[in-house]
Amino acid sequence: MNKRVLVTGSSRGIGKAIADALAAEGYDVVTHSVRSGGTDLVFDVSDRAAAKAALDADIAAKGPYYAVVLNAGINRDNAFPAMEDEEWDAVMRTDLDGFYNVLKPCLMPMIMGRVRGRIVVLSSASGVVGNRGQVNYSAAKAGLVGAAKALAVEVAKRGITVNAIAPGVIETDMTQSILPEAVDEVKKAIPMRRFGRPEEIASLVTYLLSDGAAYLTRQVISVNGGMY
């Protein structure tokens, strides 16, 4: 297939599942992490200059990406009255600013190369309905939804699709922070009575990158076991 796809935050969890699934489909996957030497690119998505330098160099050497999957993100949960400035700023700079920092260097080469490509943004259920103790995270993830919808309108005529995925509770390192005694209560709020698996998000990303999804854009697709 030889279509190059960048997946940010792909050293573990949902990002790794996405990278593995796309590689299995024959895509040329460019992996990324903030610190792992085991990925193709290493930079902090919140660092605009570092992101631009790494992406410009990769694109100059190997050509534009067919798709960009924006998965990298962090959370710093706290009740809003107790939230520290750093907890707000870190989440905004990584989860929301990362959209601009990563896509800005990638998009024009895609357009100039007449690539009828794909952009997939990982938002969250928290960004759609809000979540207690996650005002910062919910704000950033809701911002991603707005950004994805607006960008989809701008690039639609060029055959580039932009969609967002809003996962519910997925079995990753983040869910390991849920106290064991609270797991059953969380599952009771999910009609399917279980957490999702990273592979279930990856399969949707694979579809969104396929030829069959060429007319699907400006959508927010929830994968949450029926939570809302």
Side-chain angles (χ1 to χ4, degrees):
M1 183 177 292
N2 202 33
K3 289 182 176 180
R4 295 213 315 140
V5 178
L6 171 65
V7 182
T8 66
S10 50
S11 64
R12 60 182 183 172
I14 292 173
K16 186 175 188 306
I18 291 170
D20 289 347
L22 293 177
E25 289 292 318
Y27 292 97
D28 180 5
V29 179
V30 179
T31 56
H32 157 271
S33 72
V34 68
R35 63 180 64 89
S36 172
T39 56
D40 298 310
L41 301 179
V42 179
F43 60 86
D44 187 338
V45 298
S46 70
D47 185 332
R48 186 165 299 159
K52 182 176 181 353
L55 294 167
D56 282 351
D58 187 59
I59 292 168
K62 300 178 182 177
Y65 303 119
Y66 163 70
V68 178
V69 181
L70 295 168
N71 169 75
I74 62 171
N75 67 315
R76 297 286 186 270
D77 296 351
N78 205 348
F80 189 73
M83 188 168 289
E84 301 288 342
D85 291 351
E86 185 279 332
E87 292 172 328
W88 178 272
D89 292 341
V91 170
M92 288 297 168
R93 288 170 182 159
T94 300
D95 295 14
L96 186 55
D97 289 354
F99 175 97
Y100 180 88
N101 296 344
V102 171
L103 274 187
K104 191 66 174 5
C106 297
L107 189 58
M108 190 51 70
M110 188 183 291
I111 292 171
M112 295 299 292
R114 300 185 183 276
V115 178
R116 301 178 72 82
R118 307 282 191 267
I119 296 167
V120 179
V121 180
L122 271 292
S123 179
S124 168
S126 291
V128 178
V129 298
N131 196 28
R132 186 187 189 100
Q134 291 190 320
V135 174
N136 51 356
Y137 188 72
S138 295
K141 292 297 188 177
L144 288 176
V145 168
K149 283 178 171 284
L151 183 59
V153 177
E154 291 190 13
V155 299
K157 65 183 180 182
R158 301 183 184 278
I160 299 171
T161 69
V162 187
N163 292 289
I165 298 174
V169 186
I170 308 297
E171 293 174 348
T172 65
D173 291 348
M174 283 189 180
T175 57
Q176 297 302 313
S177 64
I178 300 174
L179 296 174
E181 58 269 26
V183 169
D184 287 343
E185 288 302 311
V186 174
K187 288 182 178 178
K188 285 179 183 177
I190 304 170
M192 293 192 75
R193 295 295 191 269
R194 69 172 177 87
F195 296 164
R197 296 185 295 274
E199 294 75 18
E200 292 171 316
I201 306 300
S203 65
L204 176 56
V205 175
T206 299
Y207 170 68
L208 291 175
L209 267 59
S210 71
D211 291 342
Y215 199 57
L216 199 168
T217 195
R218 207 185 181 191
Q219 302 305 304
V220 181
I221 306 170
S222 295
V223 185
N224 60 27
M227 285 173 62
Y228 57 81

